[in-house]
Amino acid sequence: FLRGSVDAVARRLRSSSDESFVLGAISDAALVGMVGFYRDVRPKRRHRGWIWGLYLAPVWRGQGVGRRLLEEVIRRARIVSGLQRVVLSVSTTQSAARQLYASCGFSVFGTEPQALQGEGRFVDEDHLTLNLKKQDDLLS
């Protein structure tokens, strides 16, 4: 998820801000889960933020850790000035992740066929969005 030398990754993590950050879940001094977030920097797309790399160690899946990470990212995204929505992508084979995203209010706005390729096969990917503002806020 975090590519590059240890020093390069450490520099990127230290440069976190309200608009670009990585959260981790730690148990007994071990990283057991993580999730990343960044705000789109392009002027016409600055109203969107992206969630990337939600990962949990297999033994920690199904215990609510992923939900807590995702809820914290959403909480932080809601207070970023001008941010209207958060988007993410998930392979269609990841049913637990898709259920988690749906339960937190994300909805699918499209599916990309053969988005990922690995081990000699293709996997489709769903693109999801979460509106951060109430409908009344959007109309005013």
Side-chain angles (χ1 to χ4, degrees), residues 3-134:
R3 294 191 173 108
S5 70
V6 172
D7 289 338
V9 170
R11 272 194 309 277
R12 285 202 321 261
L13 290 175
R14 278 193 297 275
S15 68
S16 291
S17 70
D18 291 342
E19 296 184 355
S20 177
F21 55 87
V22 176
L23 301 176
I26 298 172
S27 176
D28 296 326
L31 183 66
V32 300
M34 62 155 288
V35 63
F37 175 86
Y38 70 94
R39 184 180 194 170
D40 205 315
V41 297
R42 297 170 288 187
K44 291 183 179 181
R45 295 179 182 238
R46 286 204 36 86
H47 65 287
R48 296 190 316 178
W50 293 81
I51 292 175
W52 61 271
L54 178 57
Y55 174 80
L56 293 174
V59 298
W60 286 91
R61 294 175 187 168
Q63 298 184 43
V65 177
R67 174 174 298 282
R68 288 194 300 273
L69 284 169
L70 185 59
E71 287 174 347
E72 180 60 16
V73 170
I74 293 168
R75 185 192 71 74
R76 290 181 182 206
R78 286 188 192 284
I79 60 176
V80 174
S81 178
L83 203 61
Q84 297 290 318
R85 59 184 53 253
V86 174
V87 294
L88 60 84
S89 297
V90 60
S91 69
T92 56
T93 59
Q94 298 295 320
S95 58
R98 295 172 74 234
Q99 280 183 317
L100 171 62
Y101 298 139
S103 72
C104 287
F106 284 85
S107 59
V108 175
F109 67 87
T111 301
E112 182 179 353
Q114 298 182 336
L116 305 170
Q117 181 184 13
E119 300 176 7
R121 66 184 187 106
F122 289 100
V123 176
D124 297 347
E125 195 170 53
D126 281 342
H127 302 287
L128 290 81
T129 186
L130 173 68
N131 183 1
L132 295 175
K133 306 299 179 192
K134 295 182 219 157

